Amino acid sequence: MHPDIMEIRKLLEELTITLETTKTRIESLLFEHERTLSYCRGLESYVSRLKIDNYKLEVENKEFSKYHFQLCLLAENMACFIDTSPHNSPTRRPLLKHLIEGLEKQFSKDLFCFSERSYYRILKTEDGSILYTKYAQGTHRNTVSPRMSRIIAQFLDMAFGLLYTGKDYRIQRGPFHFVYNQYCEYLKQVGWPGKPCAESYLQKCVCKDNIRKVVKVAIYLENMIMTTMMNKICVCIILAMFLLLLPLFVLHLLQW
């Protein structure tokens, strides 16, 4: 074989090997490129989620800052109130005991400006009943006597009878001021010497006694029944008049 042909053949084989190597390299680069693109897409999705989470955190931070400011203002108001209140006030120590409950000692001392000795004295303070008083001192409230309670129970039994046997509720017909007027009249009948109880107290007794008001459906049914009965009565009257006038009409025809 000619030497040039041999050399050309050798070059072709080398080129073929180079092309195969290049092809393998290109395929590897393409695969790496696809992996990089997929990783970049994942990063884009992750970055978008981070942006959303960051926006939510900013909104929550604004809300927290607002409430934090309100809480600081509340703490400042409480500290100012305690500072201006009389030191010998009977409500000062019990109130301070509830305010510093669960707080650190140093924070409590800095907030309300008292010494460590005062801090322990406040912790040992018993809860005064003055913090839980329902009414102002010197207030006298009228109480309902047992006899009035029995009269109210008797009146409710008379005014609101059971609707049907076996039911656990009773019916109130008409507005409540009408019921209260009936109650006042009943007190006169039984000879009660004092004043009647307030309308609000009687209404509380009614609410406790499981009494229901008449609903519109019941009123509609009653009206419908009354209308049906009136229609039947009218039909009966018309039939009776027709039967009374029928013989006269027949006689008139016969004479004619």
Side-chain angles (χ1 to χ4, degrees):
M1 186 178 291
H2 198 276
D4 294 334
I5 296 174
M6 294 291 294
E7 187 175 355
I8 291 170
R9 187 174 181 181
K10 184 177 180 181
L11 288 172
L12 288 173
E13 290 178 355
E14 290 178 356
L15 285 173
T16 303
I17 294 171
T18 304
L19 288 173
E20 290 292 335
T21 305
T22 305
K23 180 182 177 182
T24 304
R25 180 63 179 167
I26 290 172
E27 290 177 352
S28 176
L29 290 174
L30 288 174
F31 179 73
E32 292 292 334
H33 179 68
E34 290 294 333
R35 289 181 59 185
T36 305
L37 285 177
S38 177
Y39 181 71
C40 290
R41 293 191 190 99
L43 285 178
E44 288 179 358
S45 177
Y46 180 70
V47 168
S48 62
R49 290 198 300 270
L50 284 179
K51 287 181 179 179
I52 295 173
D53 294 339
N54 188 32
Y55 175 75
K56 292 180 179 179
L57 287 175
E58 288 179 356
V59 173
E60 291 177 359
N61 189 27
K62 290 180 181 178
E63 294 292 329
F64 177 77
S65 299
K66 181 176 69 176
Y67 287 114
H68 178 70
F69 174 75
Q70 297 293 329
L71 289 175
C72 291
L73 185 61
L74 176 62
E76 185 178 353
N77 292 338
M78 288 190 300
C80 182
F81 170 73
I82 294 298
D83 186 54
T84 55
S85 64
H87 288 269
N88 294 327
S89 173
T91 60
R92 180 182 172 85
R93 286 188 185 178
L95 185 59
L96 275 172
K97 181 180 180 181
H98 286 284
L99 290 177
I100 68 175
E101 185 176 0
L103 299 179
E104 295 181 358
K105 180 175 68 173
Q106 190 61 41
F107 179 78
S108 302
K109 290 165 57 179
D110 294 339
L111 179 62
F112 296 107
C113 300
F114 49 70
S115 62
E116 187 168 353
R117 180 183 177 186
S118 299
Y119 174 79
Y120 289 110
R121 289 173 63 185
I122 290 168
L123 291 181
K124 295 178 181 178
T125 303
E126 297 181 358
D127 290 335
S129 59
I130 192 170
L131 291 178
Y132 303 99
T133 52
K134 295 182 179 180
Y135 313 106
Q137 294 182 359
T139 301
H140 300 285
R141 297 179 61 86
N142 295 326
T143 57
V144 179
S145 63
R147 184 186 172 192
M148 174 57 75
S149 300
R150 289 193 299 269
I151 291 175
I152 291 175
Q154 293 172 2
F155 168 74
L156 294 180
D157 291 338
M158 292 176 60
F160 308 108
L162 288 176
L163 182 61
Y164 297 109
T165 305
K167 300 295 183 180
D168 60 346
Y169 60 88
R170 295 187 279 183
I171 295 297
Q172 172 189 330
R173 298 182 182 274
F176 191 78
H177 64 82
F178 175 72
V179 176
Y180 186 74
N181 291 336
Q182 287 183 328
Y183 159 72
C184 295
E185 293 295 330
Y186 180 73
L187 289 182
K188 294 178 182 178
Q189 293 177 8
V190 298
W192 176 254
K195 296 181 180 180
C197 67
E199 185 175 349
S200 58
Y201 180 80
L202 185 64
Q203 196 164 9
K204 288 181 180 179
C205 296
V206 170
C207 293
K208 292 178 182 178
D209 207 21
N210 195 13
I211 294 175
R212 303 181 184 179
K213 295 182 180 180
V214 175
V215 295
K216 294 182 179 180
V217 176
I219 297 174
Y220 171 77
L221 291 175
E222 291 178 1
N223 293 336
M224 186 176 64
I225 293 170
M226 292 296 297
T227 304
T228 306
M229 292 177 64
M230 292 297 296
N231 291 336
K232 289 182 178 179
I233 292 172
C234 291
V235 171
C236 292
I237 292 172
I238 293 171
L239 287 175
M241 292 178 64
F242 177 75
L243 292 175
L244 288 174
L245 295 174
L246 182 61
L248 297 175
F249 181 73
V250 173
L251 289 174
H252 180 70
L253 288 177
L254 291 175
Q255 291 176 1
W256 186 75

